Amino acid sequence: MYLEEYNRWLKGTFEDADIMPELMKIEGNDDEIKDRFAVSLKFGTAGLRGVLGAGTNRMNVPVVKQATQGLANWVKTQGGNQTVAISYDSRLKSDVFAKTAAGVLAANGINVRIYDALMPVPALSFATRYYKCNAGIMVTASHNPAKYNGYKAYGPDGCQMTDDAAAIVYEEIQKTDVLNGAKYMSFAKGVEEGLIRFVGDDCKDAFYAAIEERQVRPELCKTAGLKLVYSPLNGAGLVPVTRVLNDIGITDITIVPEQEYPNGYFTTCSYPNPEIFEALKLGLELAKEVDADLMLATDPDADRVGIAMKCPDGSFELVSGNEMGVLLLDYICAGRIEKGTMPKDPVAVKSIVSTPLADAVAKHYGVEMRSVLTGFKWIGDQIAGLEEKGEVDRFIFGFEESYGYLAGPYVRDKDAVIASMLICEMAAYYRSIGSSIKERLEEIYSQYGRYLNKVDSFEFPGLTGMDKMNSIMSSFRENPPKDFAGYKVEKVTDYLDSKATGLPSANVLIYALEGGASVVIRPSGTEPKIKTYFTTLGKDLEEAMKQKDALAKSLNL
């Protein structure tokens, strides 16, 4: 079957000049042909994601056309103003895929609002809501290596598409022939006919204004003298992050020169993820050189941000996603109470795999902390629920341990632009009172306990990867462990059982252990990985780390 499909592609004609040479190059190589054609990229709630290249199991123009035709078929059943917003990041072919998607939508009579230059995930979410679109498309593979690209689909609320809508789109995709099933007109023709229009300055300015309105201590940054080193990691963050920081008064910004401008090859870091040290290495070196107060980096689609904070001895220390989530929650709560801007019955939201330290901080400030499934759309879902009740202003903050943060309901996905603003404001505030982010974090630990949260990932690549992951998860369910490293399992929560959890069904297992530690096992929804999350609580970091290492060793995945 896969050979037939390969031969059919060999007879095709493609606008993308890279496809045919690649098809010719793999001729006679059964393993390569099978890898590219035995399956198709699956469209789910996270859209599409895959390696760039020729074939049904790759990201390329025909696959993007097919997916967009499926989306168009769904949009046409939705009524409304029949409009889709599109944005893209700096990845290889992101602009090509974005314009290809626009051409398919236009050929289906659907209006398109597309950014005239790369813009991040939150800007796409904002435009989808601003123009009251039926859907949104963000062309990105987030923080994956350069060989990947992808296509995130959004619903009318600016949240990533619901399971039900994604299932319908996937059904429509399967009905569409990948080589000739999609309607299509050139981007130029779509513009000429008025079906494709660029996102206006009014929308861009409204996005920036919505972010800047969420300052906790307005005017503070103008006099604080914060010195920042920033890296957009060759992605979409440069323009929006520097615009907002300049607007609020942070002007002493040194950009990491090798990572300043868009470059989809990500030549300075093979994995452009602000969660890992290698991605921040050049920025850290520059921060030490210029004696900065803070080093900050956003990922290619600028929905995640990582930082390194300055320590009293002048060195820099990376801050984990959990630590930054807790720091921002603490700063927002204390600041809004001080300024009298805290809403009545405030709500914060975190994912179930994020640190329980956030629950303790929320309780201290009288904030209701809600825990939801992993995936920022579930945080967006909580905002939508508050909006339906006319209580959207109760939402003050949401975060995931994987460096995603949002303060405010103006978008429904994680936003590294507002997170960058609030992190810089927080750093400026602590600097202005003779303290620092590092000192405040130590105060939080001494107040609530020394929590440690660590994540380990195990990769399962290739066609059999998913089978291996499923087998591992089944094994944990069929032979439930009684202990991990001698720490007795006191409670198991299986998120497949939605009746027991009160949340939608998800392939996640959480083991609560004696002494307050926990182990979470979760397959990634977007990558061939199983992630394990460890939370330990010790009298000091050394004790917490020792327990984490013992728990990790006992898992033996």
Side-chain angles (χ1 to χ4, degrees):
M1 191 72 180
Y2 60 88
L3 283 171
E4 284 173 27
E5 186 63 11
Y6 167 68
N7 286 320
R8 200 166 73 93
W9 279 57
L10 269 180
K11 293 170 189 161
T13 53
F14 304 98
E15 298 105 324
D16 185 341
D18 294 334
I19 290 179
M20 192 54 74
E22 189 176 330
L23 292 171
M24 302 291 285
K25 190 179 175 183
I26 62 171
E27 197 165 9
N29 187 333
D30 191 67
D31 287 346
E32 288 282 359
I33 294 168
K34 188 175 184 181
D35 186 44
R36 285 167 169 77
F37 290 95
V39 294
S40 297
L41 286 183
K42 187 164 183 202
F43 185 96
T45 53
L48 298 169
R49 189 173 297 183
V51 174
L52 289 156
T56 56
N57 191 30
R58 292 288 187 271
M59 278 297 295
N60 51 61
V61 166
V63 166
V64 168
K65 281 184 177 178
Q66 181 191 34
T68 310
Q69 185 61 53
L71 182 71
N73 292 351
W74 175 76
V75 167
K76 286 190 276 193
T77 67
Q78 296 303 296
N81 61 11
Q82 295 289 287
T83 303
V84 175
I86 300 177
S87 187
Y88 55 95
D89 68 4
S90 62
R91 288 188 170 271
L92 302 176
K93 302 196 175 176
S94 279
D95 56 341
V96 174
F97 294 160
K99 288 179 176 178
T100 297
V104 172
L105 293 164
N108 280 274
I110 294 167
N111 297 297
V112 174
R113 283 285 192 165
I114 185 169
Y115 280 98
D116 56 1
L118 71 168
M119 282 290 274
V121 158
L124 181 275
S125 178
F126 188 86
T128 303
R129 293 174 61 77
Y130 185 86
Y131 290 114
K132 297 181 170 57
C133 295
N134 298 80
I137 296 168
M138 178 73 200
V139 180
T140 179
S142 192
H143 54 279
N144 283 64
K147 66 180 181 178
Y148 286 89
N149 210 330
Y151 176 116
K152 290 182 185 174
Y154 288 74
D157 57 354
C159 228
Q160 280 192 43
M161 197 166 260
T162 63
D163 291 348
D164 291 345
I168 294 166
V169 172
Y170 183 51
E171 207 176 294
E172 292 298 326
I173 289 169
Q174 289 178 300
K175 291 179 195 170
T176 305
D177 185 272
V178 67
L179 293 183
N180 52 37
K183 295 178 182 175
Y184 181 71
M185 70 166 63
S186 72
F187 186 81
K189 190 179 180 196
V191 171
E192 210 175 280
E193 296 196 2
L195 285 158
I196 299 173
R197 296 170 69 192
F198 290 108
V199 169
D201 287 343
D202 54 335
C203 178
K204 294 175 192 173
D205 291 342
F207 173 60
Y208 295 131
I211 290 169
E212 290 163 24
E213 279 165 16
R214 306 303 295 190
Q215 292 174 77
V216 176
R217 292 180 169 92
E219 306 299 314
L220 171 86
C221 291
K222 289 178 180 170
T223 55
L226 187 79
K227 192 169 190 176
L228 173 71
V229 165
Y230 168 55
S231 172
L233 294 180
N234 301 118
L238 178 66
V239 170
V241 169
T242 54
R243 156 76 186 258
V244 167
L245 293 183
N246 277 298
D247 282 354
I248 68 164
I250 293 172
T251 54
D252 190 350
I253 306 171
T254 305
I255 311 288
V256 179
E258 302 93 331
Q259 298 173 337
E260 182 170 4
Y261 296 112
N263 174 5
Y265 292 99
F266 307 117
T267 44
T268 60
C269 56
S270 59
Y271 198 58
N273 181 351
E275 295 179 59
I276 62 172
F277 172 77
E278 287 73 17
L280 275 61
K281 190 167 178 282
L282 286 173
L284 285 165
E285 288 167 3
L286 187 58
K288 286 171 193 164
E289 190 185 311
V290 303
D291 193 28
D293 297 300
L294 186 68
M295 189 265 146
L296 183 147
T298 53
D299 69 342
D301 59 346
D303 61 354
R304 299 172 195 237
V305 57
I307 78 148
M309 59 186 173
K310 194 173 193 176
C311 300
D313 65 359
S315 66
F316 283 83
E317 185 181 311
L318 300 192
V319 182
S320 75
N322 274 314
E323 288 174 329
M324 183 47 68
V326 166
L327 280 160
L328 284 171
L329 176 66
D330 172 72
Y331 176 73
I332 290 166
C333 289
R336 291 188 71 169
I337 288 168
E338 177 200 309
K339 293 289 181 185
T341 56
M342 183 68 102
K344 188 170 178 281
D345 303 321
V347 171
V349 190
K350 70 175 181 64
S351 64
I352 56 173
V353 298
S354 298
T355 180
L357 176 54
D359 298 81
V361 172
K363 186 178 178 185
H364 173 79
Y365 289 108
V367 172
E368 179 192 346
M369 175 61 78
R370 299 179 182 179
S371 291
V372 296
L373 296 178
T374 306
F376 222 87
K377 67 176 181 175
W378 299 114
I379 295 175
D381 189 53
Q382 289 295 319
I383 302 171
L386 290 169
E387 191 170 48
E388 280 169 26
K389 294 177 184 173
E391 301 173 354
V392 77
D393 289 340
R394 288 177 61 197
F395 173 75
I396 60 164
F397 185 60
F399 84 97
E400 289 187 319
E401 53 74 39
S402 52
Y403 293 61
Y405 316 99
L406 177 64
Y410 59 97
V411 297
R412 299 296 156 86
D413 210 334
K414 46 192 178 281
D415 181 3
V417 185
I418 196 169
S420 297
M421 179 188 82
L422 288 171
I423 289 166
C424 290
E425 186 194 305
M426 175 171 67
Y429 170 70
Y430 291 134
R431 189 177 188 275
S432 74
I433 60 169
S435 182
S436 67
I437 291 177
K438 171 70 173 172
E439 287 175 68
R440 181 58 194 150
L441 183 60
E442 292 307 322
E443 286 167 7
I444 288 169
Y445 280 136
S446 79
Q447 183 175 349
Y448 301 100
R450 191 44 171 106
Y451 286 80
L452 177 72
N453 306 94
K454 290 287 181 183
V455 184
D456 290 344
S457 291
F458 302 87
E459 292 203 23
F460 298 87
L463 294 174
T464 60
M466 290 305 291
D467 292 337
K468 286 178 188 168
M469 287 162 62
N470 290 334
S471 172
I472 288 167
M473 295 304 290
S474 296
S475 176
F476 275 105
R477 289 189 169 96
E478 288 160 16
N479 307 293
K482 292 184 171 56
D483 72 275
F484 290 90
Y487 295 93
K488 187 182 168 190
V489 174
E490 292 188 335
K491 185 186 177 190
V492 183
T493 307
D494 188 344
Y495 282 82
L496 278 182
D497 184 357
S498 55
K499 284 182 183 172
T501 64
L503 296 173
S505 181
N507 193 8
V508 181
L509 288 163
I510 296 186
Y511 299 91
L513 310 182
E514 63 180 338
S518 67
V519 175
V520 182
I521 304 171
R522 180 185 79 88
S524 169
T526 55
E527 300 168 274
K529 288 179 179 177
I530 286 181
K531 293 186 174 183
T532 53
Y533 305 77
F534 303 95
T535 297
T536 54
L537 179 58
K539 65 177 186 291
D540 54 31
L541 179 59
E542 187 182 358
E543 185 180 85
M545 192 55 135
K546 194 175 174 184
Q547 187 182 13
K548 182 267 163 184
D549 289 343
L551 293 174
K553 194 175 177 185
S554 73
L555 256 183
N556 195 28
L557 282 187

